[in-house]
Each structure stands twice: as C-alpha cells, then as structure tokens.
Amino acid sequence: MLGSIIWILLAGFFAGQMARRLQAPALVGMVLAGIALGPHAGNLLSPGVLESADSLRTIAVMVILMKAGLGLDREKLAQQGSVALRLGFLPAAGEAIAVALAAIWLFQFDIATGLLLGCVLGAESPAVIVPGMLRLKSLGWGVKKGIPDAILTGSTLSDVLLLLVFSLLLAFLSQGAAAGMTLPGGILLSPVQLLPVQVIAQIVLGILLGWVTARLLGLLLARQSWNAVQDVLVAAAVALGLVVLAGNFPIFSGYLAVMATGFFLIELNAPLARRLRGGFDSLWVIAEIVLFVLMGTSIQLTILAEQLLVGLLVLAIGTLIGRSLGWYLATLGSNWSWKERLFLLPGNSAKATVQAAIGAIPLAQGIDGGETILALAALSILITAPLGAWAIPTFAPRLLERGEVDPTKVSVSRSVVLLAAVDTSSLAKPVLTKVAELARRSDAKVVVLHVLRDEDATSVESLRDQTQRLLADIRHRFVTASGSVPEAILRAAQDYRAAEIVMGKRGHRSLNEALVGSISQAVLEASPLPVVVVEADSMAEPRP
C-alpha cells in the first residue's frame, strides 16, 4: 500500500503539472495518471488501496466542501433570494428527466432505470465547481451579484436531491419494491410520497447540525492556544465525523452539514475561519491528487469505447436541453443579465465526484443496464470535468462583471516581496538581518537592491556574499541599479511589486532630524508603500 500511495502522489502531481504546462486543467493529467495506474491499464496499485478508494474520495470531498463553506458570503446569498435554492433543484431535475427520456429512447430502459441514469449524470461535481468558484471570488468575478455563492450553494443542494432519488430508485430496482412508512392510523406513505419529506429533513437537519458543530468548534478552538495546524486537524476530524455519522444515520445530509459548518464559522468567529481556510487550502493540495487519480482508476476504457457516440448524445441532451431549461427557470426574475445566465453552461455543468462514487453501484447490485450506466458515468467525467475546469476561468472574464474582492470570505493568495535597499557600509548587516526576520514571518521573497555609486568591485562582491550568508534560507535575489538612489529604490519597488521597503539610517539623533534632506527622507516622502527604517544600533521603526 505504501508503494501505491507513492505512485498516486508522485504520478498525480507530475501529471497535473504537465497538464498545466500544456494549458490544460491539472485534473486532466491526474485522471489520465489514474487510468494508467489503475487495474484496466498498468495495474500498479495494490488491491487494498483500490478497496479504500471510496473512503479516500470521501475525505477529499469533505475537504473541498469545507473550503466551500468557509468561502460562502451570507449577504450575497440573501441578496439572491430564491435563485440559489432554485439552482439547487431545477437544473438537476431538468437534466435527470431529459437523460431519462433519452435513455428510454436510445437504450430501451424502463422509466426507473432511465431516472437512475439521470440521477447519476445530473449530479454536479464539487471537486471541480468549488475550486473554480472560490478562485472567481478571489479574483472578483461575479461577486457583486453573488453568482459564485449561488452556484456553490445550488450545486450542493442538487447533489442532496439526486442522491436521495438515486437511493430510492436503487432500492426499488434491486428489491422490486421499496419500503414505505406507516403513519399512526394505518396510513401508508409510499417512497415517492416520502421523498419531499426526506429532502426537506436532509436539508434542514444538515444545516442545523452544521450550525451546532460550528458553535462547538468555535467554543473549543477559541479556548485553546493551539496553532493553525492543530486547529485544522480538529476541524477536519469533526467534519469527517459528520459525513460518517450521516452514513450510519441517513436522516441528514453529511456533505451539507460540512458545508454549513464552514459557513457558520465565518459568521461566529471570522479570525478562526480565516485560519482554517488557509489550512484546508493546504489539505486540498493532497486531497485533489488523491481524488482525481482514484477517479481515473475506476474508468473502464473498453466499456467506454462501446458507448462513446451514443453517450455523447445523451450528455448533450441532458445538458443543452434539460439543464438549460432548469437554468432559465432558476434565474427567471433575477437581476442576472443574459451573459451571466449563459455562464451557468461552463460554470455549473462539470461532473466528476458523485459519478465516480455511485456510477458503479447499479452494476455491482446487478441492475439491468448497469454496464451502460457505468460507462456513461465515466464518459461524463472525462468530458465535462476537464471542460468545466477549463471553461470556468476562461469564460468568467467574458461573461461576468468584476467586483471588489472580500478577503474575509476567500483566501486571496499573494506572493509577498520585500525590497531591502543596502549600501556597502556597516548598515547593510542590520538591514539584511531585519528583512530576513520579516521574510521568515511571512514566507516572503526578498529583493536586495544596491545602487551603484563610486565603490570598487570588491566592495560590491563582499556585499553580495554577505547577502547570501544572511539570507541563505530565504528566496532572494541580489540586483544592482544606477542613477539617483531614491528614484532607483522606488522604481525597483514598483518593478518587483514589493509590499514593503526596508532601508537604514545613521546616527542617534531623532528620526526627523537625521532624515532631513537624506535618501531615507526622500523615499519616505515619495513611497506609496510602508517603509521600515533600521538604525545600526536599534530595532526597526516602521513608517507609513
């Protein structure tokens, strides 16, 4: 199993990087790596890992849904009113019905088996949609009208609906009839009559349990002096416990409870939510590889080839007719423009996670047409997952408006660059020591700038060696410039997009007296960035 895990991580990572270099989504390379490693091709993974695939996928989906919850914006959801709720039901229902009718026509399925296929193909993939929507939020696309938030919420609700219907149909087809419920007075409710009650119960109890969990996590973690890694460890274990609990007591949606936990954590304790957001971002780096590589291992290429053309036709009917009609009805009466409605086609169509999880179940339970269902589930992953991962960032700038980013709701990643301006005097050492301290705190890169004046080459080379010695554990570069020193410093800060400037001053006089007419004073007066001024024999003093 250890060898298999090494294969999954390394092959998935490098295949994803190669896909990125070819301007394709990383998940394309990861899925192809899974196909190559899986039992239908290279057969390089141990049976134990393949048997654990469902559990590993569950962990990965938990991570991505926690990320989604920690990125939701309550104000934007309230602004959209019922649009998010309608997106959670109408597109999925429309696609499932359209796929069912197409399956009855093309495969001669009965109504129940056709709807079973519709539930498999109609579910949306959080593994593709959540990272895509969170990236759009971090860049500001569609945030003014809360479009990414509506899509995130709608996709989760639609999966709740379709998974419930799928389990109902599977029980009916495998047992001949599904058990209903007898109410007091001898009233018998059929499974179809129970379905609305089950959907409402799963959603309401899932949200309620998410709120309770968020409260408990907030109280527990706020009272401890744990670091961010320990906080994420506890939160991830609790979130996974919700999913496991839902499997044993299927009266609520575990995935919805996880997403609701993240959402309520923002409202109850924003600093804690921000720490957890960064941790779950790091967990997703590994979870993404595991999820998509194992997804590839489940794809049977031989069965896929037999159903290729007719499968593409079924997918097209489901998306372009059934789902499109659902999108139109879901956004009817909203403030979305026609371009924003059109964005739902690339933004809300990707399929991967649910299809990989349930696509093989009908075949395993001996349902007629199970091989066809599995083949179309695999085809939907190979076609829509990479297409959706590519289309979301490609079409967002063309179809959505750009608004102001709210850093309290998403992780806005930025590479921090610090500019250290040094000369060949004794001030160089304290300046380099201070910039090294700041860089280690923020994992920043450092640009060390020396403006050439009348020094000899030996002095400059000595300064370069000193820089290498004091910044040995920090990503840095040593650059030189010529001309006016203040202008060169400000120009370098702009060229390298520095966040702060660190430079030195001489003497023990007051700062204002010492800097009158000096290089430091000129930089302080002209710089739009914070400037940290370092004295040779004192601590740094930040200046605005």
Side-chain angles (χ1 to χ4, degrees), residues 418 433-444 500 502 532:
L418 303 177
T433 301
K434 186 60 185 179
V435 79
E437 176 189 339
L438 296 174
R440 292 186 185 103
R441 291 179 184 175
S442 57
D443 193 27
E500 291 182 3
V502 183
V532 178

mmCIF file of all heavy atoms in Angstrom, residues 418 433-444 500 502 532:
data_model
loop_
_atom_site.group_PDB
_atom_site.id
_atom_site.type_symbol
_atom_site.label_atom_id
_atom_site.label_comp_id
_atom_site.label_asym_id
_atom_site.label_seq_id
_atom_site.Cartn_x
_atom_site.Cartn_y
_atom_site.Cartn_z
ATOM 1 N N LEU A 418 9.655 41.638 -0.412
ATOM 2 C CA LEU A 418 10.240 42.714 0.385
ATOM 3 C C LEU A 418 11.473 43.238 -0.337
ATOM 4 O O LEU A 418 12.289 42.460 -0.838
ATOM 5 C CB LEU A 418 10.635 42.209 1.773
ATOM 6 C CG LEU A 418 9.522 41.573 2.613
ATOM 7 C CD1 LEU A 418 10.085 41.059 3.935
ATOM 8 C CD2 LEU A 418 8.398 42.563 2.867
ATOM 9 N N THR A 433 19.564 41.740 8.231
ATOM 10 C CA THR A 433 19.066 40.938 9.360
ATOM 11 C C THR A 433 17.578 41.195 9.589
ATOM 12 O O THR A 433 16.794 40.268 9.830
ATOM 13 C CB THR A 433 19.851 41.274 10.641
ATOM 14 O OG1 THR A 433 21.237 41.007 10.417
ATOM 15 C CG2 THR A 433 19.353 40.444 11.813
ATOM 16 N N LYS A 434 17.174 42.458 9.484
ATOM 17 C CA LYS A 434 15.770 42.802 9.698
ATOM 18 C C LYS A 434 14.886 42.271 8.582
ATOM 19 O O LYS A 434 13.816 41.720 8.843
ATOM 20 C CB LYS A 434 15.615 44.326 9.801
ATOM 21 C CG LYS A 434 14.195 44.754 10.170
ATOM 22 C CD LYS A 434 13.794 44.179 11.520
ATOM 23 C CE LYS A 434 12.354 44.475 11.879
ATOM 24 N NZ LYS A 434 11.982 43.902 13.174
ATOM 25 N N VAL A 435 15.327 42.421 7.333
ATOM 26 C CA VAL A 435 14.491 41.939 6.235
ATOM 27 C C VAL A 435 14.398 40.410 6.273
ATOM 28 O O VAL A 435 13.358 39.834 5.909
ATOM 29 C CB VAL A 435 15.024 42.446 4.880
ATOM 30 C CG1 VAL A 435 16.232 41.638 4.395
ATOM 31 C CG2 VAL A 435 13.916 42.403 3.834
ATOM 32 N N ALA A 436 15.449 39.731 6.753
ATOM 33 C CA ALA A 436 15.382 38.276 6.904
ATOM 34 C C ALA A 436 14.341 37.890 7.948
ATOM 35 O O ALA A 436 13.572 36.938 7.768
ATOM 36 C CB ALA A 436 16.754 37.726 7.284
ATOM 37 N N GLU A 437 14.298 38.641 9.053
ATOM 38 C CA GLU A 437 13.305 38.370 10.105
ATOM 39 C C GLU A 437 11.882 38.550 9.576
ATOM 40 O O GLU A 437 10.998 37.710 9.821
ATOM 41 C CB GLU A 437 13.550 39.317 11.273
ATOM 42 C CG GLU A 437 12.537 39.203 12.401
ATOM 43 C CD GLU A 437 12.698 40.303 13.431
ATOM 44 O OE1 GLU A 437 13.795 40.905 13.511
ATOM 45 O OE2 GLU A 437 11.720 40.577 14.148
ATOM 46 N N LEU A 438 11.642 39.632 8.843
ATOM 47 C CA LEU A 438 10.317 39.878 8.282
ATOM 48 C C LEU A 438 9.944 38.816 7.256
ATOM 49 O O LEU A 438 8.789 38.372 7.194
ATOM 50 C CB LEU A 438 10.277 41.270 7.649
ATOM 51 C CG LEU A 438 10.474 42.457 8.594
ATOM 52 C CD1 LEU A 438 10.561 43.762 7.804
ATOM 53 C CD2 LEU A 438 9.346 42.527 9.613
ATOM 54 N N ALA A 439 10.902 38.396 6.429
ATOM 55 C CA ALA A 439 10.618 37.401 5.393
ATOM 56 C C ALA A 439 10.268 36.051 5.994
ATOM 57 O O ALA A 439 9.391 35.342 5.482
ATOM 58 C CB ALA A 439 11.823 37.269 4.467
ATOM 59 N N ARG A 440 10.946 35.684 7.073
ATOM 60 C CA ARG A 440 10.636 34.392 7.703
ATOM 61 C C ARG A 440 9.243 34.391 8.305
ATOM 62 O O ARG A 440 8.580 33.360 8.350
ATOM 63 C CB ARG A 440 11.675 34.082 8.781
ATOM 64 C CG ARG A 440 13.071 33.797 8.217
ATOM 65 C CD ARG A 440 14.044 33.349 9.291
ATOM 66 N NE ARG A 440 15.399 33.199 8.746
ATOM 67 C CZ ARG A 440 16.373 34.068 8.922
ATOM 68 N NH1 ARG A 440 16.167 35.159 9.669
ATOM 69 N NH2 ARG A 440 17.547 33.874 8.383
ATOM 70 N N ARG A 441 8.781 35.519 8.780
ATOM 71 C CA ARG A 441 7.434 35.591 9.375
ATOM 72 C C ARG A 441 6.345 35.413 8.323
ATOM 73 O O ARG A 441 5.287 34.849 8.609
ATOM 74 C CB ARG A 441 7.247 36.944 10.071
ATOM 75 C CG ARG A 441 8.069 37.143 11.324
ATOM 76 C CD ARG A 441 7.809 38.529 11.888
ATOM 77 N NE ARG A 441 8.640 38.831 13.038
ATOM 78 C CZ ARG A 441 8.656 40.023 13.652
ATOM 79 N NH1 ARG A 441 7.874 40.991 13.205
ATOM 80 N NH2 ARG A 441 9.448 40.223 14.680
ATOM 81 N N SER A 442 6.576 35.931 7.124
ATOM 82 C CA SER A 442 5.516 35.943 6.105
ATOM 83 C C SER A 442 5.830 35.074 4.903
ATOM 84 O O SER A 442 5.118 35.129 3.905
ATOM 85 C CB SER A 442 5.287 37.383 5.625
ATOM 86 O OG SER A 442 6.496 37.944 5.119
ATOM 87 N N ASP A 443 6.892 34.255 4.981
ATOM 88 C CA ASP A 443 7.309 33.415 3.861
ATOM 89 C C ASP A 443 7.457 34.254 2.588
ATOM 90 O O ASP A 443 6.966 33.892 1.515
ATOM 91 C CB ASP A 443 6.296 32.278 3.628
ATOM 92 C CG ASP A 443 6.848 31.217 2.690
ATOM 93 O OD1 ASP A 443 8.078 31.067 2.626
ATOM 94 O OD2 ASP A 443 6.042 30.557 2.006
ATOM 95 N N ALA A 444 8.126 35.379 2.718
ATOM 96 C CA ALA A 444 8.247 36.324 1.612
ATOM 97 C C ALA A 444 9.536 36.105 0.828
ATOM 98 O O ALA A 444 10.502 35.500 1.312
ATOM 99 C CB ALA A 444 8.215 37.754 2.151
ATOM 100 N N GLU A 500 6.839 45.989 0.950
ATOM 101 C CA GLU A 500 7.480 46.907 1.889
ATOM 102 C C GLU A 500 8.906 47.193 1.432
ATOM 103 O O GLU A 500 9.513 46.395 0.700
ATOM 104 C CB GLU A 500 7.528 46.318 3.314
ATOM 105 C CG GLU A 500 6.184 46.204 3.992
ATOM 106 C CD GLU A 500 6.304 45.664 5.414
ATOM 107 O OE1 GLU A 500 7.453 45.449 5.861
ATOM 108 O OE2 GLU A 500 5.266 45.463 6.055
ATOM 109 N N VAL A 502 12.687 48.087 3.047
ATOM 110 C CA VAL A 502 13.497 48.089 4.263
ATOM 111 C C VAL A 502 14.820 48.776 3.930
ATOM 112 O O VAL A 502 15.501 48.392 2.974
ATOM 113 C CB VAL A 502 13.763 46.661 4.775
ATOM 114 C CG1 VAL A 502 14.545 46.697 6.082
ATOM 115 C CG2 VAL A 502 12.446 45.908 4.972
ATOM 116 N N VAL A 532 10.274 50.456 6.295
ATOM 117 C CA VAL A 532 10.845 50.082 7.582
ATOM 118 C C VAL A 532 12.263 50.650 7.640
ATOM 119 O O VAL A 532 13.113 50.301 6.812
ATOM 120 C CB VAL A 532 10.868 48.551 7.757
ATOM 121 C CG1 VAL A 532 11.512 48.169 9.088
ATOM 122 C CG2 VAL A 532 9.448 47.993 7.684
#
